[in-house]
Amino acid sequence: MQPDVLVCLTQEAYGKFSSIVRPGGVLLTDSRFVTVRTNVDAQQVQLPMYQTVLDQLGKPIVFNICVLGAILGLIDLFGPESVMKVLEERFPRGVELNRQALALGLELGKQHGREE
């Protein structure tokens, strides 16, 4: 198994799984939790997702939604509207916070894409 996209949010996961991402794939990490190596044959993207969520929303519970937004900002899988529709149905009380977290992640991912 060689995924095209891999997300590693801990150093342990990075050490164990970073080598399985397909050459030329995308390896997304959070700069607070993971120190990257240069011997990985993938596009390594390190974003301050956790810190951004803390700074701008103050609620780390939506960190995972920010990560999902970053993936969508980096690669064209499907539209964020689809994600929001599911979040609205599954978590109606947290819609606005989830919307903000998804938007933060999208922006981080898109900013990284413009930097390259």
Side-chain angles (χ1 to χ4, degrees), residues 2-14:
Q2 286 189 300
D4 291 324
V5 178
L6 180 65
V7 178
C8 292
L9 298 177
T10 66
Q11 194 68 45
E12 182 180 0
Y14 183 85

Side-chain angles (χ1 to χ4, degrees), residues 50-110:
Y50 187 81
Q51 193 61 51
T52 301
V53 167
L54 280 183
D55 291 347
Q56 295 192 26
L57 301 178
K59 306 273 185 178
I61 195 166
V62 292
F63 172 52
N64 59 335
I65 304 301
C66 181
V67 172
L68 181 57
I71 293 167
L72 296 177
L74 288 167
I75 52 180
D76 189 26
L77 290 174
F78 44 83
E81 307 81 26
S82 301
V83 173
M84 276 314 304
K85 183 176 180 185
V86 171
L87 290 173
E88 288 168 1
E89 292 171 4
R90 299 283 307 222
F91 308 102
R93 293 192 333 211
V95 168
E96 189 52 37
L97 188 58
N98 282 328
R99 185 183 320 278
Q100 292 172 0
L102 187 67
L104 283 176
L106 280 166
E107 185 58 30
L108 285 170
K110 287 179 182 177

Side-chain angles (χ1 to χ4, degrees), residues 6 8 14-15 17-29 35-45:
L6 180 65
C8 292
Y14 183 85
F17 298 110
S18 62
S19 64
I20 70 167
V21 68
R22 184 178 311 280
V26 174
L27 175 54
L28 176 62
T29 59
T35 302
V36 297
R37 300 183 309 256
T38 57
N39 63 341
V40 175
D41 190 16
Q43 176 191 357
Q44 295 194 73
V45 179

